[in-house]
Amino acid sequence: MPKLKLLSVLSDAQPPDNPIIANDCAGIAFDRNRYADLAPTDVWNAWLDVHIRQSCSSSAIGIASFEDLAAGKEECSVEPDLDSLRRYWMEGERFLRDHYLFSSSFNWVVRLDQDVTLFAAERDFMREVIDRLHGLNGVLDRMIEDFEPGEGDPVGLRRFLSDITDELRR
């Protein structure tokens, strides 16, 4: 079941292509190799705070590796705090595996692959996270700094960042 739900939010597309396919969803992305927590700690804190505040039922976070999803294995879950995520990542060096984190309602998904941590969520959820991070312009500046698109942006990373945040400008 998680695989079908995840695939209704994100495709397999990789930057510079926009993988967000769900209507009314937006994203933010960071170079996971720059951070001990695979994304900026303040982003995780804002994300988890909004998740806890908005959770109607279980606030546990589902986790499924790409490999486990392909094999049809069940996801596991952790408590919605950064220490629980760190313990998960460190056990058996799971941080090396591509995986998804998601809410039980699938109103948000985080895809962590070897290069990018992509946070995708319904517009209202994402707007609240962005507000906690002091606005879209500042978050965009941080993402551009992370991905360093370079002179002329030959890969199209600025377009990718614009595309994933487009829903927030509506």
Side-chain angles (χ1 to χ4, degrees), residues 26-63:
I28 55 177
F30 299 92
D31 178 346
R32 72 170 260 165
N33 298 304
R34 290 180 170 235
Y35 303 97
D37 292 326
L38 312 178
T41 301
D42 66 327
V43 173
W44 284 118
N45 289 335
W47 195 267
L48 295 169
D49 286 348
V50 173
H51 166 72
I52 290 166
R53 194 189 70 65
Q54 289 191 4
S55 288
C56 296
S57 57
S58 170
S59 64
I61 296 172
I63 302 177

PDB file of all heavy atoms in Angstrom, residues 26-63:
ATOM      1  N   ALA A  26       3.800  20.835  -3.112  1.00  0.00           N
ATOM      2  CA  ALA A  26       5.013  21.590  -3.396  1.00  0.00           C
ATOM      3  C   ALA A  26       6.174  20.904  -2.702  1.00  0.00           C
ATOM      4  O   ALA A  26       5.979  20.019  -1.869  1.00  0.00           O
ATOM      5  CB  ALA A  26       4.865  23.022  -2.900  1.00  0.00           C
ATOM      6  N   GLY A  27       7.376  21.348  -3.037  1.00  0.00           N
ATOM      7  CA  GLY A  27       8.540  20.721  -2.436  1.00  0.00           C
ATOM      8  C   GLY A  27       9.656  21.698  -2.145  1.00  0.00           C
ATOM      9  O   GLY A  27       9.657  22.837  -2.619  1.00  0.00           O
ATOM     10  N   ILE A  28      10.586  21.214  -1.343  1.00  0.00           N
ATOM     11  CA  ILE A  28      11.866  21.877  -1.120  1.00  0.00           C
ATOM     12  C   ILE A  28      12.905  20.770  -1.143  1.00  0.00           C
ATOM     13  O   ILE A  28      12.595  19.613  -0.842  1.00  0.00           O
ATOM     14  CB  ILE A  28      11.910  22.684   0.203  1.00  0.00           C
ATOM     15  CG1 ILE A  28      11.550  21.827   1.409  1.00  0.00           C
ATOM     16  CG2 ILE A  28      10.997  23.904   0.110  1.00  0.00           C
ATOM     17  CD1 ILE A  28      11.661  22.563   2.756  1.00  0.00           C
ATOM     18  N   ALA A  29      14.128  21.115  -1.537  1.00  0.00           N
ATOM     19  CA  ALA A  29      15.150  20.076  -1.688  1.00  0.00           C
ATOM     20  C   ALA A  29      16.510  20.604  -1.244  1.00  0.00           C
ATOM     21  O   ALA A  29      16.799  21.801  -1.391  1.00  0.00           O
ATOM     22  CB  ALA A  29      15.218  19.625  -3.142  1.00  0.00           C
ATOM     23  N   PHE A  30      17.317  19.685  -0.741  1.00  0.00           N
ATOM     24  CA  PHE A  30      18.651  20.023  -0.263  1.00  0.00           C
ATOM     25  C   PHE A  30      19.628  18.934  -0.665  1.00  0.00           C
ATOM     26  O   PHE A  30      19.247  17.773  -0.819  1.00  0.00           O
ATOM     27  CB  PHE A  30      18.637  20.202   1.267  1.00  0.00           C
ATOM     28  CG  PHE A  30      17.732  21.313   1.697  1.00  0.00           C
ATOM     29  CD1 PHE A  30      16.406  21.057   2.013  1.00  0.00           C
ATOM     30  CD2 PHE A  30      18.187  22.621   1.734  1.00  0.00           C
ATOM     31  CE1 PHE A  30      15.541  22.090   2.371  1.00  0.00           C
ATOM     32  CE2 PHE A  30      17.326  23.662   2.089  1.00  0.00           C
ATOM     33  CZ  PHE A  30      16.017  23.390   2.408  1.00  0.00           C
ATOM     34  N   ASP A  31      20.882  19.323  -0.821  1.00  0.00           N
ATOM     35  CA  ASP A  31      21.953  18.374  -1.115  1.00  0.00           C
ATOM     36  C   ASP A  31      22.226  17.586   0.162  1.00  0.00           C
ATOM     37  O   ASP A  31      22.811  18.105   1.104  1.00  0.00           O
ATOM     38  CB  ASP A  31      23.195  19.125  -1.567  1.00  0.00           C
ATOM     39  CG  ASP A  31      24.386  18.218  -1.848  1.00  0.00           C
ATOM     40  OD1 ASP A  31      24.361  17.027  -1.457  1.00  0.00           O
ATOM     41  OD2 ASP A  31      25.350  18.702  -2.457  1.00  0.00           O
ATOM     42  N   ARG A  32      21.801  16.345   0.199  1.00  0.00           N
ATOM     43  CA  ARG A  32      21.878  15.572   1.439  1.00  0.00           C
ATOM     44  C   ARG A  32      23.311  15.332   1.902  1.00  0.00           C
ATOM     45  O   ARG A  32      23.553  15.068   3.069  1.00  0.00           O
ATOM     46  CB  ARG A  32      21.116  14.260   1.317  1.00  0.00           C
ATOM     47  CG  ARG A  32      21.791  13.239   0.434  1.00  0.00           C
ATOM     48  CD  ARG A  32      21.134  11.897   0.532  1.00  0.00           C
ATOM     49  NE  ARG A  32      21.912  11.071   1.431  1.00  0.00           N
ATOM     50  CZ  ARG A  32      21.482   9.951   1.960  1.00  0.00           C
ATOM     51  NH1 ARG A  32      20.276   9.523   1.705  1.00  0.00           N
ATOM     52  NH2 ARG A  32      22.246   9.250   2.747  1.00  0.00           N
ATOM     53  N   ASN A  33      24.270  15.430   0.999  1.00  0.00           N
ATOM     54  CA  ASN A  33      25.664  15.164   1.352  1.00  0.00           C
ATOM     55  C   ASN A  33      26.308  16.296   2.145  1.00  0.00           C
ATOM     56  O   ASN A  33      27.384  16.122   2.691  1.00  0.00           O
ATOM     57  CB  ASN A  33      26.474  14.877   0.081  1.00  0.00           C
ATOM     58  CG  ASN A  33      25.941  13.649  -0.617  1.00  0.00           C
ATOM     59  OD1 ASN A  33      25.862  12.578  -0.036  1.00  0.00           O
ATOM     60  ND2 ASN A  33      25.529  13.820  -1.858  1.00  0.00           N
ATOM     61  N   ARG A  34      25.631  17.422   2.249  1.00  0.00           N
ATOM     62  CA  ARG A  34      26.168  18.563   2.995  1.00  0.00           C
ATOM     63  C   ARG A  34      25.818  18.534   4.485  1.00  0.00           C
ATOM     64  O   ARG A  34      26.311  19.358   5.244  1.00  0.00           O
ATOM     65  CB  ARG A  34      25.623  19.871   2.414  1.00  0.00           C
ATOM     66  CG  ARG A  34      26.180  20.200   1.061  1.00  0.00           C
ATOM     67  CD  ARG A  34      25.572  21.508   0.571  1.00  0.00           C
ATOM     68  NE  ARG A  34      26.257  21.962  -0.606  1.00  0.00           N
ATOM     69  CZ  ARG A  34      26.813  23.154  -0.736  1.00  0.00           C
ATOM     70  NH1 ARG A  34      26.748  24.028   0.242  1.00  0.00           N
ATOM     71  NH2 ARG A  34      27.421  23.474  -1.845  1.00  0.00           N
ATOM     72  N   TYR A  35      24.950  17.599   4.887  1.00  0.00           N
ATOM     73  CA  TYR A  35      24.394  17.668   6.240  1.00  0.00           C
ATOM     74  C   TYR A  35      24.494  16.336   6.966  1.00  0.00           C
ATOM     75  O   TYR A  35      24.159  15.288   6.410  1.00  0.00           O
ATOM     76  CB  TYR A  35      22.909  18.075   6.173  1.00  0.00           C
ATOM     77  CG  TYR A  35      22.691  19.374   5.455  1.00  0.00           C
ATOM     78  CD1 TYR A  35      22.335  19.406   4.112  1.00  0.00           C
ATOM     79  CD2 TYR A  35      22.889  20.581   6.118  1.00  0.00           C
ATOM     80  CE1 TYR A  35      22.156  20.603   3.444  1.00  0.00           C
ATOM     81  CE2 TYR A  35      22.717  21.787   5.456  1.00  0.00           C
ATOM     82  CZ  TYR A  35      22.354  21.787   4.116  1.00  0.00           C
ATOM     83  OH  TYR A  35      22.189  22.977   3.459  1.00  0.00           O
ATOM     84  N   ALA A  36      24.891  16.399   8.230  1.00  0.00           N
ATOM     85  CA  ALA A  36      24.931  15.191   9.062  1.00  0.00           C
ATOM     86  C   ALA A  36      23.543  14.570   9.185  1.00  0.00           C
ATOM     87  O   ALA A  36      23.412  13.349   9.248  1.00  0.00           O
ATOM     88  CB  ALA A  36      25.495  15.522  10.446  1.00  0.00           C
ATOM     89  N   ASP A  37      22.499  15.408   9.189  1.00  0.00           N
ATOM     90  CA  ASP A  37      21.120  14.922   9.296  1.00  0.00           C
ATOM     91  C   ASP A  37      20.456  14.772   7.925  1.00  0.00           C
ATOM     92  O   ASP A  37      19.229  14.696   7.833  1.00  0.00           O
ATOM     93  CB  ASP A  37      20.290  15.866  10.170  1.00  0.00           C
ATOM     94  CG  ASP A  37      20.722  15.836  11.620  1.00  0.00           C
ATOM     95  OD1 ASP A  37      21.133  14.763  12.109  1.00  0.00           O
ATOM     96  OD2 ASP A  37      20.637  16.892  12.282  1.00  0.00           O
ATOM     97  N   LEU A  38      21.243  14.785   6.850  1.00  0.00           N
ATOM     98  CA  LEU A  38      20.782  14.578   5.476  1.00  0.00           C
ATOM     99  C   LEU A  38      19.938  15.720   4.932  1.00  0.00           C
ATOM    100  O   LEU A  38      19.453  15.663   3.803  1.00  0.00           O
ATOM    101  CB  LEU A  38      20.053  13.235   5.329  1.00  0.00           C
ATOM    102  CG  LEU A  38      20.796  12.029   5.941  1.00  0.00           C
ATOM    103  CD1 LEU A  38      19.970  10.772   5.787  1.00  0.00           C
ATOM    104  CD2 LEU A  38      22.184  11.865   5.358  1.00  0.00           C
ATOM    105  N   ALA A  39      19.748  16.751   5.711  1.00  0.00           N
ATOM    106  CA  ALA A  39      19.097  18.010   5.346  1.00  0.00           C
ATOM    107  C   ALA A  39      19.352  18.964   6.517  1.00  0.00           C
ATOM    108  O   ALA A  39      19.736  18.524   7.606  1.00  0.00           O
ATOM    109  CB  ALA A  39      17.597  17.817   5.121  1.00  0.00           C
ATOM    110  N   PRO A  40      19.124  20.254   6.327  1.00  0.00           N
ATOM    111  CA  PRO A  40      19.355  21.182   7.442  1.00  0.00           C
ATOM    112  C   PRO A  40      18.502  20.828   8.666  1.00  0.00           C
ATOM    113  O   PRO A  40      17.313  20.515   8.544  1.00  0.00           O
ATOM    114  CB  PRO A  40      18.935  22.540   6.860  1.00  0.00           C
ATOM    115  CG  PRO A  40      19.069  22.385   5.375  1.00  0.00           C
ATOM    116  CD  PRO A  40      18.712  20.958   5.100  1.00  0.00           C
ATOM    117  N   THR A  41      19.120  20.892   9.819  1.00  0.00           N
ATOM    118  CA  THR A  41      18.437  20.538  11.063  1.00  0.00           C
ATOM    119  C   THR A  41      17.207  21.405  11.302  1.00  0.00           C
ATOM    120  O   THR A  41      16.162  20.909  11.734  1.00  0.00           O
ATOM    121  CB  THR A  41      19.424  20.638  12.245  1.00  0.00           C
ATOM    122  OG1 THR A  41      20.520  19.747  11.983  1.00  0.00           O
ATOM    123  CG2 THR A  41      18.767  20.246  13.556  1.00  0.00           C
ATOM    124  N   ASP A  42      17.289  22.704  11.000  1.00  0.00           N
ATOM    125  CA  ASP A  42      16.121  23.558  11.217  1.00  0.00           C
ATOM    126  C   ASP A  42      14.967  23.185  10.298  1.00  0.00           C
ATOM    127  O   ASP A  42      13.797  23.328  10.671  1.00  0.00           O
ATOM    128  CB  ASP A  42      16.473  25.040  11.111  1.00  0.00           C
ATOM    129  CG  ASP A  42      16.908  25.475   9.723  1.00  0.00           C
ATOM    130  OD1 ASP A  42      17.540  24.675   8.992  1.00  0.00           O
ATOM    131  OD2 ASP A  42      16.638  26.641   9.357  1.00  0.00           O
ATOM    132  N   VAL A  43      15.261  22.665   9.119  1.00  0.00           N
ATOM    133  CA  VAL A  43      14.206  22.207   8.214  1.00  0.00           C
ATOM    134  C   VAL A  43      13.527  20.977   8.813  1.00  0.00           C
ATOM    135  O   VAL A  43      12.297  20.890   8.871  1.00  0.00           O
ATOM    136  CB  VAL A  43      14.755  21.909   6.801  1.00  0.00           C
ATOM    137  CG1 VAL A  43      13.689  21.266   5.922  1.00  0.00           C
ATOM    138  CG2 VAL A  43      15.282  23.196   6.164  1.00  0.00           C
ATOM    139  N   TRP A  44      14.317  20.011   9.293  1.00  0.00           N
ATOM    140  CA  TRP A  44      13.730  18.842   9.955  1.00  0.00           C
ATOM    141  C   TRP A  44      12.868  19.267  11.140  1.00  0.00           C
ATOM    142  O   TRP A  44      11.756  18.750  11.315  1.00  0.00           O
ATOM    143  CB  TRP A  44      14.808  17.878  10.443  1.00  0.00           C
ATOM    144  CG  TRP A  44      15.437  17.046   9.386  1.00  0.00           C
ATOM    145  CD1 TRP A  44      16.750  17.041   9.012  1.00  0.00           C
ATOM    146  CD2 TRP A  44      14.794  16.043   8.575  1.00  0.00           C
ATOM    147  NE1 TRP A  44      16.949  16.119   8.014  1.00  0.00           N
ATOM    148  CE2 TRP A  44      15.772  15.491   7.730  1.00  0.00           C
ATOM    149  CE3 TRP A  44      13.488  15.577   8.476  1.00  0.00           C
ATOM    150  CZ2 TRP A  44      15.486  14.483   6.801  1.00  0.00           C
ATOM    151  CZ3 TRP A  44      13.199  14.575   7.558  1.00  0.00           C
ATOM    152  CH2 TRP A  44      14.195  14.037   6.736  1.00  0.00           C
ATOM    153  N   ASN A  45      13.389  20.170  11.956  1.00  0.00           N
ATOM    154  CA  ASN A  45      12.631  20.596  13.138  1.00  0.00           C
ATOM    155  C   ASN A  45      11.306  21.248  12.752  1.00  0.00           C
ATOM    156  O   ASN A  45      10.268  20.958  13.353  1.00  0.00           O
ATOM    157  CB  ASN A  45      13.469  21.525  14.011  1.00  0.00           C
ATOM    158  CG  ASN A  45      14.580  20.792  14.724  1.00  0.00           C
ATOM    159  OD1 ASN A  45      14.500  19.586  14.966  1.00  0.00           O
ATOM    160  ND2 ASN A  45      15.643  21.495  15.055  1.00  0.00           N
ATOM    161  N   ALA A  46      11.328  22.124  11.756  1.00  0.00           N
ATOM    162  CA  ALA A  46      10.087  22.756  11.301  1.00  0.00           C
ATOM    163  C   ALA A  46       9.137  21.704  10.739  1.00  0.00           C
ATOM    164  O   ALA A  46       7.939  21.704  11.045  1.00  0.00           O
ATOM    165  CB  ALA A  46      10.398  23.826  10.251  1.00  0.00           C
ATOM    166  N   TRP A  47       9.668  20.797   9.930  1.00  0.00           N
ATOM    167  CA  TRP A  47       8.858  19.743   9.306  1.00  0.00           C
ATOM    168  C   TRP A  47       8.175  18.879  10.361  1.00  0.00           C
ATOM    169  O   TRP A  47       6.968  18.635  10.313  1.00  0.00           O
ATOM    170  CB  TRP A  47       9.761  18.901   8.415  1.00  0.00           C
ATOM    171  CG  TRP A  47       9.035  18.026   7.463  1.00  0.00           C
ATOM    172  CD1 TRP A  47       8.674  16.716   7.650  1.00  0.00           C
ATOM    173  CD2 TRP A  47       8.561  18.370   6.164  1.00  0.00           C
ATOM    174  NE1 TRP A  47       8.020  16.242   6.545  1.00  0.00           N
ATOM    175  CE2 TRP A  47       7.938  17.237   5.619  1.00  0.00           C
ATOM    176  CE3 TRP A  47       8.612  19.547   5.411  1.00  0.00           C
ATOM    177  CZ2 TRP A  47       7.368  17.236   4.349  1.00  0.00           C
ATOM    178  CZ3 TRP A  47       8.058  19.544   4.150  1.00  0.00           C
ATOM    179  CH2 TRP A  47       7.439  18.396   3.637  1.00  0.00           C
ATOM    180  N   LEU A  48       8.954  18.421  11.305  1.00  0.00           N
ATOM    181  CA  LEU A  48       8.416  17.530  12.345  1.00  0.00           C
ATOM    182  C   LEU A  48       7.435  18.267  13.256  1.00  0.00           C
ATOM    183  O   LEU A  48       6.420  17.690  13.659  1.00  0.00           O
ATOM    184  CB  LEU A  48       9.561  16.907  13.137  1.00  0.00           C
ATOM    185  CG  LEU A  48      10.460  15.968  12.315  1.00  0.00           C
ATOM    186  CD1 LEU A  48      11.716  15.606  13.096  1.00  0.00           C
ATOM    187  CD2 LEU A  48       9.711  14.729  11.865  1.00  0.00           C
ATOM    188  N   ASP A  49       7.705  19.529  13.565  1.00  0.00           N
ATOM    189  CA  ASP A  49       6.775  20.313  14.381  1.00  0.00           C
ATOM    190  C   ASP A  49       5.421  20.467  13.686  1.00  0.00           C
ATOM    191  O   ASP A  49       4.368  20.301  14.307  1.00  0.00           O
ATOM    192  CB  ASP A  49       7.342  21.700  14.692  1.00  0.00           C
ATOM    193  CG  ASP A  49       8.452  21.679  15.723  1.00  0.00           C
ATOM    194  OD1 ASP A  49       8.651  20.641  16.389  1.00  0.00           O
ATOM    195  OD2 ASP A  49       9.139  22.721  15.854  1.00  0.00           O
ATOM    196  N   VAL A  50       5.453  20.783  12.392  1.00  0.00           N
ATOM    197  CA  VAL A  50       4.197  20.926  11.654  1.00  0.00           C
ATOM    198  C   VAL A  50       3.487  19.579  11.580  1.00  0.00           C
ATOM    199  O   VAL A  50       2.274  19.495  11.760  1.00  0.00           O
ATOM    200  CB  VAL A  50       4.442  21.522  10.249  1.00  0.00           C
ATOM    201  CG1 VAL A  50       3.169  21.507   9.411  1.00  0.00           C
ATOM    202  CG2 VAL A  50       4.987  22.951  10.374  1.00  0.00           C
ATOM    203  N   HIS A  51       4.243  18.521  11.344  1.00  0.00           N
ATOM    204  CA  HIS A  51       3.653  17.178  11.301  1.00  0.00           C
ATOM    205  C   HIS A  51       2.932  16.851  12.610  1.00  0.00           C
ATOM    206  O   HIS A  51       1.783  16.419  12.604  1.00  0.00           O
ATOM    207  CB  HIS A  51       4.739  16.132  11.023  1.00  0.00           C
ATOM    208  CG  HIS A  51       4.294  14.739  11.282  1.00  0.00           C
ATOM    209  ND1 HIS A  51       3.401  14.076  10.458  1.00  0.00           N
ATOM    210  CD2 HIS A  51       4.584  13.884  12.295  1.00  0.00           C
ATOM    211  CE1 HIS A  51       3.187  12.865  10.955  1.00  0.00           C
ATOM    212  NE2 HIS A  51       3.889  12.733  12.062  1.00  0.00           N
ATOM    213  N   ILE A  52       3.587  17.067  13.722  1.00  0.00           N
ATOM    214  CA  ILE A  52       2.989  16.762  15.025  1.00  0.00           C
ATOM    215  C   ILE A  52       1.741  17.617  15.256  1.00  0.00           C
ATOM    216  O   ILE A  52       0.712  17.123  15.701  1.00  0.00           O
ATOM    217  CB  ILE A  52       4.022  16.962  16.161  1.00  0.00           C
ATOM    218  CG1 ILE A  52       5.094  15.870  16.074  1.00  0.00           C
ATOM    219  CG2 ILE A  52       3.343  16.965  17.521  1.00  0.00           C
ATOM    220  CD1 ILE A  52       6.321  16.151  16.921  1.00  0.00           C
ATOM    221  N   ARG A  53       1.826  18.897  14.927  1.00  0.00           N
ATOM    222  CA  ARG A  53       0.701  19.799  15.122  1.00  0.00           C
ATOM    223  C   ARG A  53      -0.494  19.402  14.270  1.00  0.00           C
ATOM    224  O   ARG A  53      -1.635  19.496  14.705  1.00  0.00           O
ATOM    225  CB  ARG A  53       1.122  21.240  14.810  1.00  0.00           C
ATOM    226  CG  ARG A  53       0.130  22.265  15.312  1.00  0.00           C
ATOM    227  CD  ARG A  53       0.422  23.654  14.843  1.00  0.00           C
ATOM    228  NE  ARG A  53       0.201  23.889  13.428  1.00  0.00           N
ATOM    229  CZ  ARG A  53      -0.983  23.846  12.806  1.00  0.00           C
ATOM    230  NH1 ARG A  53      -2.066  23.547  13.473  1.00  0.00           N
ATOM    231  NH2 ARG A  53      -1.088  24.098  11.526  1.00  0.00           N
ATOM    232  N   GLN A  54      -0.253  18.922  13.056  1.00  0.00           N
ATOM    233  CA  GLN A  54      -1.343  18.616  12.143  1.00  0.00           C
ATOM    234  C   GLN A  54      -1.829  17.171  12.208  1.00  0.00           C
ATOM    235  O   GLN A  54      -2.854  16.859  11.609  1.00  0.00           O
ATOM    236  CB  GLN A  54      -0.936  18.923  10.690  1.00  0.00           C
ATOM    237  CG  GLN A  54      -0.826  20.386  10.403  1.00  0.00           C
ATOM    238  CD  GLN A  54      -0.680  20.670   8.922  1.00  0.00           C
ATOM    239  OE1 GLN A  54      -0.725  19.787   8.086  1.00  0.00           O
ATOM    240  NE2 GLN A  54      -0.513  21.941   8.595  1.00  0.00           N
ATOM    241  N   SER A  55      -1.125  16.313  12.909  1.00  0.00           N
ATOM    242  CA  SER A  55      -1.507  14.890  12.940  1.00  0.00           C
ATOM    243  C   SER A  55      -2.813  14.697  13.689  1.00  0.00           C
ATOM    244  O   SER A  55      -2.952  15.094  14.835  1.00  0.00           O
ATOM    245  CB  SER A  55      -0.417  14.051  13.607  1.00  0.00           C
ATOM    246  OG  SER A  55       0.692  13.967  12.762  1.00  0.00           O
ATOM    247  N   CYS A  56      -3.758  14.083  13.003  1.00  0.00           N
ATOM    248  CA  CYS A  56      -5.053  13.806  13.614  1.00  0.00           C
ATOM    249  C   CYS A  56      -5.056  12.429  14.268  1.00  0.00           C
ATOM    250  O   CYS A  56      -5.651  12.230  15.305  1.00  0.00           O
ATOM    251  CB  CYS A  56      -6.164  13.865  12.568  1.00  0.00           C
ATOM    252  SG  CYS A  56      -6.357  15.506  11.864  1.00  0.00           S
ATOM    253  N   SER A  57      -4.389  11.488  13.627  1.00  0.00           N
ATOM    254  CA  SER A  57      -4.331  10.134  14.192  1.00  0.00           C
ATOM    255  C   SER A  57      -2.911   9.881  14.657  1.00  0.00           C
ATOM    256  O   SER A  57      -2.382  10.630  15.441  1.00  0.00           O
ATOM    257  CB  SER A  57      -4.792   9.117  13.149  1.00  0.00           C
ATOM    258  OG  SER A  57      -3.983   9.230  11.983  1.00  0.00           O
ATOM    259  N   SER A  58      -2.292   8.863  14.155  1.00  0.00           N
ATOM    260  CA  SER A  58      -0.937   8.517  14.560  1.00  0.00           C
ATOM    261  C   SER A  58       0.050   9.565  14.073  1.00  0.00           C
ATOM    262  O   SER A  58       0.014   9.971  12.914  1.00  0.00           O
ATOM    263  CB  SER A  58      -0.548   7.160  13.982  1.00  0.00           C
ATOM    264  OG  SER A  58       0.823   6.920  14.183  1.00  0.00           O
ATOM    265  N   SER A  59       0.932   9.988  14.954  1.00  0.00           N
ATOM    266  CA  SER A  59       1.960  10.926  14.529  1.00  0.00           C
ATOM    267  C   SER A  59       3.244  10.200  14.155  1.00  0.00           C
ATOM    268  O   SER A  59       4.222  10.836  13.769  1.00  0.00           O
ATOM    269  CB  SER A  59       2.234  11.963  15.621  1.00  0.00           C
ATOM    270  OG  SER A  59       2.751  11.334  16.770  1.00  0.00           O
ATOM    271  N   ALA A  60       3.266   8.858  14.251  1.00  0.00           N
ATOM    272  CA  ALA A  60       4.450   8.093  13.864  1.00  0.00           C
ATOM    273  C   ALA A  60       4.754   8.341  12.390  1.00  0.00           C
ATOM    274  O   ALA A  60       3.868   8.607  11.583  1.00  0.00           O
ATOM    275  CB  ALA A  60       4.232   6.604  14.111  1.00  0.00           C
ATOM    276  N   ILE A  61       6.024   8.264  12.050  1.00  0.00           N
ATOM    277  CA  ILE A  61       6.491   8.479  10.687  1.00  0.00           C
ATOM    278  C   ILE A  61       6.799   7.118  10.067  1.00  0.00           C
ATOM    279  O   ILE A  61       7.547   6.328  10.635  1.00  0.00           O
ATOM    280  CB  ILE A  61       7.764   9.339  10.684  1.00  0.00           C
ATOM    281  CG1 ILE A  61       7.462  10.729  11.220  1.00  0.00           C
ATOM    282  CG2 ILE A  61       8.369   9.410   9.289  1.00  0.00           C
ATOM    283  CD1 ILE A  61       8.704  11.560  11.425  1.00  0.00           C
ATOM    284  N   GLY A  62       6.237   6.869   8.901  1.00  0.00           N
ATOM    285  CA  GLY A  62       6.546   5.652   8.166  1.00  0.00           C
ATOM    286  C   GLY A  62       7.862   5.806   7.428  1.00  0.00           C
ATOM    287  O   GLY A  62       8.209   6.896   6.970  1.00  0.00           O
ATOM    288  N   ILE A  63       8.591   4.700   7.325  1.00  0.00           N
ATOM    289  CA  ILE A  63       9.861   4.692   6.594  1.00  0.00           C
ATOM    290  C   ILE A  63       9.900   3.429   5.744  1.00  0.00           C
ATOM    291  O   ILE A  63       9.607   2.334   6.232  1.00  0.00           O
ATOM    292  CB  ILE A  63      11.081   4.697   7.536  1.00  0.00           C
ATOM    293  CG1 ILE A  63      11.044   5.905   8.461  1.00  0.00           C
ATOM    294  CG2 ILE A  63      12.376   4.655   6.731  1.00  0.00           C
ATOM    295  CD1 ILE A  63      12.183   5.949   9.470  1.00  0.00           C
TER     296      ILE A  63
END
